[in-house]
Amino acid sequence: MSVAKILWQENADLARAILEHRFVQGLGDGTLPRPSFENYIGQDAYFLEAFARGYALALAHSPDREGLYAFAELLIGVTNELRLHASYADRWGVELTDITPSEATLAYTDFLLAIAGTRTIGEICAAMTPCMRLYAFLGQQLAEAKPDAQHIYAEWIHTYSDPSFEALAQRLEDLLDRYTNDGPVLRYIYRRAMQLELGFFEYNS
């Protein structure tokens, strides 16, 4: 079994806790209050800017052509996510400039950028993979209810359940497998990212 699959299975408890979180369940059934989603969009836009910088640093330190191409592709993917957030903001009148990040958001972005700026390419992948795999998992799970076009959060669900997003998550997992071997530091980094994901939903909901 690949390192990426082992790490995901070892953190299934956190993935399940996030799926069962009131915020995510509210996204799924459409009962999440709009102000909660608006706050999340602002915080997530701030986070995604740091995530994009993480990819840029990984690209800059890529040891081979395969990594160069892959991280460039992933960077484009996260900029597309930022455009989606901007479209939400435009429609709902949410101001995304000068966002004040919450403590949970800062804890996550500081962690990502510290790893991206100081650690190996494999460890950077370990810090970034949980976000991609988790969102693909959440989108696919929520999509099982088949939300219709009238569902207030249908676009969010469709974005993260789309096969193109799954392909990006798999791409990053392939890079994790390519550039690293299993070990305690890697497992710590991966689990810490998952814990920060749970904290992000908990404190930004």
Side-chain angles (χ1 to χ4, degrees), residues 165-186:
F165 192 84
E166 168 64 28
L168 290 173
Q170 183 62 60
R171 187 80 155 134
L172 185 52
E173 287 179 324
D174 290 344
L175 291 169
L176 175 59
D177 289 334
R178 180 183 181 87
Y179 293 128
T180 194
N181 295 312
D182 196 1
V185 173
L186 196 77

Side-chain angles (χ1 to χ4, degrees), residues 58-127:
L59 189 154
H61 292 95
S62 179
D64 53 31
R65 188 174 296 173
E66 173 64 22
L68 188 69
Y69 292 157
F71 286 117
E73 178 185 348
L74 289 161
L75 182 55
I76 291 170
V78 77
T79 56
N80 288 336
E81 281 188 78
L82 281 166
R83 290 189 183 98
L84 174 65
H85 284 49
S87 72
Y88 287 136
D90 287 343
R91 289 199 304 272
W92 292 3
V94 178
E95 180 57 62
L96 292 183
T97 58
D98 300 323
I99 294 293
T100 300
S102 70
E103 290 185 8
T105 301
L106 276 179
Y108 202 171
T109 57
D110 287 352
F111 165 79
L112 280 176
L113 293 176
I115 295 292
T118 63
R119 307 304 293 246
T120 67
I121 194 75
E123 289 166 341
I124 296 172
C125 291

